[in-house]
Each structure stands twice: as C-alpha cells, then as structure tokens.
Amino acid sequence: MTRTPTVLFVCVHNAGRSQMAAGFLSHLAGDTVEVRSAGSAPADSINSAAVEAMAELGIDISAQSPKILTPDAVETSDVVITMGCGDACPVFPGVSYRDWALPDPAGKGVEAVRPIRDRIKVLVEDLIAELVPVQTGSSL
C-alpha cells in the first residue's frame, strides 16, 4: 500500500488562494491526498468573496479558518505550494516546493476572484494528476 501524499498550501493570509486550493484538492482528490493550508500572517477570517466563488462550484469552504504557518507543517508535508508568501516559508530537505504565481484576492469582489479560482482549479487538477497514480477502474 502506498502512503498518502501530504500537500500544504501557503499564502500570506490563508484566507483566499490557499483556502480555495485546499478546497479544490479535498473535493477533487478525496482521501487520496492529505490537504493542509496555512498562512505566514493569517487573517482573522476567510475571504468572503473566495467562499462565494467556491460555493458557485458546489464547494463549501465557509467552515475553514486561517491557520499560522509552522515549521512542523512544512517539514511533515510532501509538497508545499506557496502563493505569494515569498521567503516566509521554511525550507526542509526532502520536501518538494512549488510556487504558484497568483494574484491576491484580498479586498476584491467575487467577479475578480472567479478567474483566480478557475486558475487554481486547473493547477490543482494538474497536481492531482501528478500525485495520484491512475488506477484501473478509478472514477477520479
């Protein structure tokens, strides 16, 4: 049996981009991937436009809350995906790092968040294809 890969999404506030990415990965990959998210300077609450944009696609992230980025969360993840947090993310050997250059949805309305959401969905689908081996008879 292969081990479940762990993915950590990191952005500054852990209120928009990383929460949408985590929502997509949880929704699309189910229990084939362990999903985490965190922020280098977490906001007090999730971006309401991000919640609304995800709800339009039937994914509810409203119960999530921004979490602080810890060295342990990074070290115990297989893949760390940063989204504009710069050098705030600690680097550990054996962890795969990726940077997704995405605009920050903070302070923007849902119309401006939709294209960011749609780009995140494509990136997450590509990530799933890379991390989750296709199995015969799989309906993923």
Side-chain angles (χ1 to χ4, degrees):
M1 181 176 179
T2 58
R3 196 175 68 77
T4 303
T6 302
V7 175
L8 172 64
F9 294 104
V10 181
C11 67
V12 176
H13 302 297
N14 189 221
R17 294 167 289 187
S18 57
Q19 292 287 355
M20 288 190 288
F24 274 126
L25 187 56
S26 294
H27 180 78
L28 297 171
D31 59 3
T32 61
V33 177
E34 182 182 335
V35 182
R36 303 172 178 169
S37 71
S40 52
D44 293 330
S45 61
I46 280 210
N47 180 325
S48 60
V51 171
E52 183 179 344
M54 293 298 286
E56 291 175 353
L57 299 182
I59 300 172
D60 182 7
I61 61 170
S62 63
Q64 298 301 316
S65 60
K67 294 168 276 309
I68 187 73
L69 176 66
T70 65
D72 184 61
V74 176
E75 189 173 22
T76 58
S77 296
D78 297 304
V79 178
V80 175
I81 297 173
T82 58
M83 305 171 188
C85 67
D87 297 329
C89 192
V91 176
F92 291 96
V95 177
S96 174
Y97 294 87
R98 328 267 170 92
D99 185 61
W100 291 354
L102 297 161
D104 189 346
K108 296 184 169 80
V110 72
E111 298 79 20
V113 173
R114 283 185 191 117
I116 300 168
R117 172 203 66 195
D118 294 345
R119 178 69 184 134
I120 290 170
K121 181 174 188 266
V122 170
L123 291 166
V124 167
E125 288 170 340
D126 291 345
L127 181 67
I128 293 169
E130 177 187 335
L131 293 179
V132 181
V134 177
Q135 298 171 355
T136 307
S138 173
S139 60
L140 188 68

